[in-house]
Amino acid sequence: MSDKCPEYVERLYAYIDGELTAEQYEEIKAHLLDCPPCLTEYEHDMLLKKLIKRACACEQAPEQLRSSILTRITYERTEVRYEA
């Protein structure tokens, strides 16, 4: 386990959801190949995501909620870009 493991684990959902740059994706991918504890965490996160998707597949969020969430995501991404 390396000192950077907490940083990698924190970004696993972004990695799983394809929300990273190609460089960030490759960095985490390489780390997962070399770090069994982080790979185990990744596998748990993937399993959890699949279970949630299967359990919620029959229900769709109301359009107003979906719109609100997408607006918030866009706002957060824009805000982060300006801070960086």
Side-chain angles (χ1 to χ4, degrees):
M1 213 170 192
S2 78
D3 293 340
K4 293 189 82 175
C5 286
E7 177 186 327
Y8 290 120
V9 169
E10 185 177 311
R11 295 188 299 163
L12 281 178
Y13 279 108
Y15 175 82
I16 291 168
D17 292 339
E19 298 174 344
L20 302 175
T21 65
E23 182 180 317
Q24 292 169 326
Y25 178 87
E26 290 301 321
E27 179 184 355
I28 291 177
K29 182 179 176 181
H31 179 77
L32 292 175
L33 293 172
D34 291 332
C35 183
C38 286
L39 181 59
T40 298
E41 185 68 30
Y42 164 76
E43 291 168 346
H44 288 151
D45 289 350
M46 285 293 293
L47 178 60
L48 178 61
K49 185 174 175 109
K50 287 178 184 179
L51 290 171
I52 291 170
K53 183 176 183 178
R54 186 173 63 195
C56 299
C58 60
E59 296 181 37
Q60 188 168 14
E63 188 57 40
Q64 183 178 3
L65 175 60
R66 293 170 52 87
S67 178
S68 175
I69 291 170
L70 290 173
T71 300
R72 184 67 183 175
I73 290 170
T74 302
Y75 173 78
E76 291 293 327
R77 285 185 177 172
T78 303
E79 189 175 275
V80 169
R81 285 188 193 138
Y82 288 122
E83 290 178 351

